[in-house]
Amino acid sequence: MKSPLRFALNRMVAPDLALADFIQMAKALKCDAIEIRNDLKNREIEYGMPATRVRELCAAQGITVLSINALYPFDVWNDERRAQALELATYARECGAQGLVMCPFNEPGDTRTDAHRAAALRTALSELAPILREYGILGFVEPLGFEVSALRRKRVAVEAIKSIGGLDVFRVVHDTFHHHLAGEHEFFPELTGLVHISGVEDRDAPLNAIGDGHRVLVGEGDILGNAVQIDTLLSTGYSGYLSFEPFAESVHGLADIQQALGASIAHLQKP
């Protein structure tokens, strides 16, 4: 039997909203989970809000912190990345987050071969696993479907996780945008820890020209097949959250983001 839809809000939904107001919006929409980020100016981690304060605000409203988004580039392991991982793991544990989203190197000019990238991925996962175990959190590995990404497909992530014995602490993120962009057809519901959802409605843009700026809320005009992707995940055993993650400025500038989110939720809930 298919699981009911459980929605969460990534801070990217409304990056300019104060955390307390963001939490209130989540509660009003009957979303009992959120994701916070470390890449937003003047918000949470960057601004210096104590992790204990984040925990207090969420606990008061019965809100779960699913993740901190994100450790980047997690697959380029060095002393700087270790320090960053420890800092984020500490914050995650103290704010009550279940895990840490991990994104791969995603910039032009990467001259490494696939073999070198695969080796670097395994090294990073091997180094991160004991940190995650020590801090009691999960690592949510998020393949990015862009052509320049060092890790585009979930299959590669899953095989690397298995190869280093990391099934206890690693899960993959199924992002409906990146799944479509990578031309991926495989689903891994049993190893999916989190689903990011966003829509794209620009039918004229070539696939390799679609970027984060195209990512809006999921509606009737969606070309990513969100409804089908979600149905496939839920009907094959995934029972976790669907977290809204629109990057488009057109969404961030909406006069009533709560109403727009409510409409998107209603659209996805239609039988």
Side-chain angles (χ1 to χ4, degrees):
M1 183 168 154
K2 198 165 72 172
S3 299
L5 275 59
R6 302 168 68 198
F7 293 104
L9 303 183
N10 187 292
R11 284 291 273 134
M12 193 51 72
V13 165
D16 295 326
L17 208 58
L19 181 61
D21 296 330
F22 187 82
I23 290 169
Q24 288 287 3
M25 180 174 71
K27 189 171 179 66
L29 289 166
K30 296 183 170 57
C31 297
D32 62 354
I34 65 169
E35 294 179 88
I36 62 175
R37 303 183 70 95
N38 65 334
D39 59 353
L40 300 179
K41 290 181 180 178
N42 301 329
R43 292 290 176 254
E44 282 87 75
I45 296 170
E46 254 192 31
Y47 188 65
M49 180 183 286
T52 51
R53 180 58 179 155
V54 175
R55 182 193 284 265
E56 288 168 4
L57 288 170
C58 290
Q61 300 295 339
I63 299 291
T64 297
V65 181
L66 295 178
S67 81
I68 297 177
N69 195 330
L71 177 65
Y72 173 86
F74 86 91
D75 55 334
V76 179
W77 194 257
N78 51 33
D79 290 343
E80 179 188 2
R81 201 69 58 245
R82 177 183 295 278
Q84 186 184 12
L86 289 168
E87 181 181 358
L88 289 171
T90 300
Y91 199 98
R93 181 172 65 184
E94 292 179 357
C95 80
Q98 293 180 355
L100 177 60
V101 173
M102 301 175 170
C103 294
F105 188 75
N106 181 51
E107 297 168 34
D110 185 359
T111 58
R112 295 175 299 168
T113 64
D114 286 346
H116 283 138
R117 290 175 181 168
L121 174 60
R122 290 192 299 272
T123 295
L125 293 174
S126 297
E127 294 284 349
L128 282 161
I131 294 173
L132 297 169
R133 292 181 185 118
E134 179 183 350
Y135 284 81
I137 59 175
L138 292 170
F140 297 122
V141 179
E142 181 167 15
L144 303 180
F146 300 118
E147 289 184 355
V148 297
S149 172
L151 175 62
R152 298 189 70 196
R153 294 180 175 85
K154 294 181 289 296
R155 162 65 65 186
V156 176
V158 166
E159 290 177 351
I161 290 167
K162 288 180 177 178
S163 75
I164 64 102
L167 290 175
D168 59 323
V169 286
F170 290 109
R171 299 291 183 272
V172 293
V173 177
H174 180 109
D175 185 299
T176 57
F177 172 79
H178 290 297
H179 180 85
H180 179 86
L181 219 59
E184 190 164 26
H185 301 290
E186 288 187 281
F187 291 77
F188 300 90
E190 72 286 354
L191 288 178
T192 299
L194 183 60
V195 174
H196 284 158
I197 59 174
S198 58
V200 171
E201 299 185 346
D202 188 341
R203 296 181 176 274
D204 298 324
L207 193 63
N208 62 1
I210 294 175
D212 281 333
H214 290 84
R215 300 173 67 173
V216 296
L217 295 174
V218 184
E220 294 287 349
D222 177 46
I223 63 172
L224 301 181
N226 268 273
V228 173
Q229 290 189 48
I230 291 168
D231 186 69
T232 300
L233 283 162
L234 296 181
S235 62
T236 53
Y238 178 71
S239 59
Y241 285 95
L242 310 172
S243 184
F244 284 96
E245 193 188 32
F247 282 75
E249 290 183 6
S250 60
V251 174
H252 301 163
L254 286 172
D256 192 344
I257 182 61
Q258 183 172 316
Q259 186 278 331
L261 281 163
S264 187
I265 288 170
H267 168 73
L268 287 166
Q269 286 176 329
K270 285 191 299 189

PDB file of all heavy atoms in Angstrom, residues 115 117-127 159-161 163-164:
ATOM      1  N   ALA A 115      37.447   7.381 -13.156  1.00  0.00           N
ATOM      2  CA  ALA A 115      38.093   6.528 -12.155  1.00  0.00           C
ATOM      3  C   ALA A 115      38.607   7.352 -10.978  1.00  0.00           C
ATOM      4  O   ALA A 115      38.476   6.954  -9.815  1.00  0.00           O
ATOM      5  CB  ALA A 115      39.253   5.755 -12.793  1.00  0.00           C
ATOM      6  N   ARG A 117      37.422  10.280 -10.035  1.00  0.00           N
ATOM      7  CA  ARG A 117      36.245  10.770  -9.308  1.00  0.00           C
ATOM      8  C   ARG A 117      35.676   9.688  -8.409  1.00  0.00           C
ATOM      9  O   ARG A 117      35.289   9.952  -7.265  1.00  0.00           O
ATOM     10  CB  ARG A 117      35.171  11.240 -10.301  1.00  0.00           C
ATOM     11  CG  ARG A 117      35.521  12.519 -11.047  1.00  0.00           C
ATOM     12  CD  ARG A 117      34.462  12.812 -12.088  1.00  0.00           C
ATOM     13  NE  ARG A 117      34.761  14.025 -12.839  1.00  0.00           N
ATOM     14  CZ  ARG A 117      34.136  14.387 -13.959  1.00  0.00           C
ATOM     15  NH1 ARG A 117      33.186  13.603 -14.458  1.00  0.00           N
ATOM     16  NH2 ARG A 117      34.453  15.499 -14.587  1.00  0.00           N
ATOM     17  N   ALA A 118      35.626   8.466  -8.929  1.00  0.00           N
ATOM     18  CA  ALA A 118      35.093   7.341  -8.155  1.00  0.00           C
ATOM     19  C   ALA A 118      35.960   7.065  -6.934  1.00  0.00           C
ATOM     20  O   ALA A 118      35.450   6.805  -5.830  1.00  0.00           O
ATOM     21  CB  ALA A 118      35.000   6.095  -9.035  1.00  0.00           C
ATOM     22  N   ALA A 119      37.283   7.141  -7.115  1.00  0.00           N
ATOM     23  CA  ALA A 119      38.207   6.924  -5.996  1.00  0.00           C
ATOM     24  C   ALA A 119      38.048   8.026  -4.956  1.00  0.00           C
ATOM     25  O   ALA A 119      38.057   7.765  -3.747  1.00  0.00           O
ATOM     26  CB  ALA A 119      39.639   6.859  -6.508  1.00  0.00           C
ATOM     27  N   ALA A 120      37.905   9.265  -5.422  1.00  0.00           N
ATOM     28  CA  ALA A 120      37.736  10.401  -4.513  1.00  0.00           C
ATOM     29  C   ALA A 120      36.425  10.281  -3.732  1.00  0.00           C
ATOM     30  O   ALA A 120      36.355  10.613  -2.541  1.00  0.00           O
ATOM     31  CB  ALA A 120      37.769  11.708  -5.292  1.00  0.00           C
ATOM     32  N   LEU A 121      35.386   9.799  -4.404  1.00  0.00           N
ATOM     33  CA  LEU A 121      34.093   9.599  -3.749  1.00  0.00           C
ATOM     34  C   LEU A 121      34.208   8.572  -2.628  1.00  0.00           C
ATOM     35  O   LEU A 121      33.738   8.804  -1.505  1.00  0.00           O
ATOM     36  CB  LEU A 121      33.060   9.144  -4.791  1.00  0.00           C
ATOM     37  CG  LEU A 121      31.675   8.753  -4.277  1.00  0.00           C
ATOM     38  CD1 LEU A 121      31.008   9.923  -3.561  1.00  0.00           C
ATOM     39  CD2 LEU A 121      30.799   8.257  -5.438  1.00  0.00           C
ATOM     40  N   ARG A 122      34.869   7.455  -2.900  1.00  0.00           N
ATOM     41  CA  ARG A 122      35.020   6.417  -1.888  1.00  0.00           C
ATOM     42  C   ARG A 122      35.873   6.908  -0.715  1.00  0.00           C
ATOM     43  O   ARG A 122      35.587   6.616   0.446  1.00  0.00           O
ATOM     44  CB  ARG A 122      35.642   5.153  -2.501  1.00  0.00           C
ATOM     45  CG  ARG A 122      34.704   4.414  -3.448  1.00  0.00           C
ATOM     46  CD  ARG A 122      35.241   3.034  -3.791  1.00  0.00           C
ATOM     47  NE  ARG A 122      36.539   3.086  -4.467  1.00  0.00           N
ATOM     48  CZ  ARG A 122      36.715   3.188  -5.774  1.00  0.00           C
ATOM     49  NH1 ARG A 122      35.646   3.272  -6.575  1.00  0.00           N
ATOM     50  NH2 ARG A 122      37.920   3.208  -6.300  1.00  0.00           N
ATOM     51  N   THR A 123      36.922   7.667  -1.030  1.00  0.00           N
ATOM     52  CA  THR A 123      37.766   8.225   0.030  1.00  0.00           C
ATOM     53  C   THR A 123      36.943   9.123   0.950  1.00  0.00           C
ATOM     54  O   THR A 123      37.014   9.013   2.181  1.00  0.00           O
ATOM     55  CB  THR A 123      38.933   9.024  -0.570  1.00  0.00           C
ATOM     56  OG1 THR A 123      39.793   8.144  -1.284  1.00  0.00           O
ATOM     57  CG2 THR A 123      39.728   9.736   0.521  1.00  0.00           C
ATOM     58  N   ALA A 124      36.169  10.015   0.352  1.00  0.00           N
ATOM     59  CA  ALA A 124      35.359  10.953   1.140  1.00  0.00           C
ATOM     60  C   ALA A 124      34.336  10.220   2.001  1.00  0.00           C
ATOM     61  O   ALA A 124      34.173  10.526   3.191  1.00  0.00           O
ATOM     62  CB  ALA A 124      34.656  11.941   0.210  1.00  0.00           C
ATOM     63  N   LEU A 125      33.664   9.246   1.422  1.00  0.00           N
ATOM     64  CA  LEU A 125      32.667   8.484   2.177  1.00  0.00           C
ATOM     65  C   LEU A 125      33.332   7.730   3.339  1.00  0.00           C
ATOM     66  O   LEU A 125      32.780   7.672   4.443  1.00  0.00           O
ATOM     67  CB  LEU A 125      31.935   7.508   1.260  1.00  0.00           C
ATOM     68  CG  LEU A 125      31.034   8.131   0.183  1.00  0.00           C
ATOM     69  CD1 LEU A 125      30.492   7.054  -0.741  1.00  0.00           C
ATOM     70  CD2 LEU A 125      29.887   8.918   0.811  1.00  0.00           C
ATOM     71  N   SER A 126      34.507   7.163   3.078  1.00  0.00           N
ATOM     72  CA  SER A 126      35.240   6.427   4.122  1.00  0.00           C
ATOM     73  C   SER A 126      35.649   7.339   5.273  1.00  0.00           C
ATOM     74  O   SER A 126      35.649   6.933   6.441  1.00  0.00           O
ATOM     75  CB  SER A 126      36.489   5.760   3.528  1.00  0.00           C
ATOM     76  OG  SER A 126      36.138   4.795   2.557  1.00  0.00           O
ATOM     77  N   GLU A 127      36.019   8.574   4.942  1.00  0.00           N
ATOM     78  CA  GLU A 127      36.419   9.535   5.972  1.00  0.00           C
ATOM     79  C   GLU A 127      35.213  10.090   6.737  1.00  0.00           C
ATOM     80  O   GLU A 127      35.290  10.384   7.931  1.00  0.00           O
ATOM     81  CB  GLU A 127      37.198  10.691   5.332  1.00  0.00           C
ATOM     82  CG  GLU A 127      38.533  10.290   4.735  1.00  0.00           C
ATOM     83  CD  GLU A 127      39.611  10.056   5.775  1.00  0.00           C
ATOM     84  OE1 GLU A 127      39.382  10.409   6.955  1.00  0.00           O
ATOM     85  OE2 GLU A 127      40.679   9.527   5.421  1.00  0.00           O
ATOM     86  N   GLU A 159      26.487   2.444  -5.122  1.00  0.00           N
ATOM     87  CA  GLU A 159      27.564   1.458  -5.223  1.00  0.00           C
ATOM     88  C   GLU A 159      28.763   1.856  -4.370  1.00  0.00           C
ATOM     89  O   GLU A 159      29.404   1.004  -3.736  1.00  0.00           O
ATOM     90  CB  GLU A 159      27.966   1.277  -6.693  1.00  0.00           C
ATOM     91  CG  GLU A 159      26.898   0.561  -7.509  1.00  0.00           C
ATOM     92  CD  GLU A 159      27.249   0.438  -8.983  1.00  0.00           C
ATOM     93  OE1 GLU A 159      28.245   1.059  -9.418  1.00  0.00           O
ATOM     94  OE2 GLU A 159      26.513  -0.272  -9.705  1.00  0.00           O
ATOM     95  N   ALA A 160      29.065   3.153  -4.335  1.00  0.00           N
ATOM     96  CA  ALA A 160      30.195   3.623  -3.513  1.00  0.00           C
ATOM     97  C   ALA A 160      29.886   3.452  -2.026  1.00  0.00           C
ATOM     98  O   ALA A 160      30.752   3.034  -1.245  1.00  0.00           O
ATOM     99  CB  ALA A 160      30.493   5.084  -3.829  1.00  0.00           C
ATOM    100  N   ILE A 161      28.666   3.755  -1.626  1.00  0.00           N
ATOM    101  CA  ILE A 161      28.257   3.600  -0.223  1.00  0.00           C
ATOM    102  C   ILE A 161      28.386   2.140   0.195  1.00  0.00           C
ATOM    103  O   ILE A 161      28.926   1.824   1.272  1.00  0.00           O
ATOM    104  CB  ILE A 161      26.809   4.105  -0.021  1.00  0.00           C
ATOM    105  CG1 ILE A 161      26.762   5.632  -0.144  1.00  0.00           C
ATOM    106  CG2 ILE A 161      26.264   3.659   1.333  1.00  0.00           C
ATOM    107  CD1 ILE A 161      25.359   6.202  -0.281  1.00  0.00           C
ATOM    108  N   SER A 163      30.287  -0.108  -1.162  1.00  0.00           N
ATOM    109  CA  SER A 163      31.681  -0.570  -1.242  1.00  0.00           C
ATOM    110  C   SER A 163      32.490  -0.213  -0.010  1.00  0.00           C
ATOM    111  O   SER A 163      33.471  -0.893   0.308  1.00  0.00           O
ATOM    112  CB  SER A 163      32.368   0.002  -2.494  1.00  0.00           C
ATOM    113  OG  SER A 163      32.693   1.371  -2.323  1.00  0.00           O
ATOM    114  N   ILE A 164      32.089   0.861   0.692  1.00  0.00           N
ATOM    115  CA  ILE A 164      32.860   1.254   1.884  1.00  0.00           C
ATOM    116  C   ILE A 164      32.157   0.828   3.177  1.00  0.00           C
ATOM    117  O   ILE A 164      32.570   1.203   4.268  1.00  0.00           O
ATOM    118  CB  ILE A 164      33.168   2.776   1.889  1.00  0.00           C
ATOM    119  CG1 ILE A 164      31.882   3.600   1.978  1.00  0.00           C
ATOM    120  CG2 ILE A 164      33.968   3.179   0.666  1.00  0.00           C
ATOM    121  CD1 ILE A 164      31.583   4.150   3.343  1.00  0.00           C
TER     122      ILE A 164
END
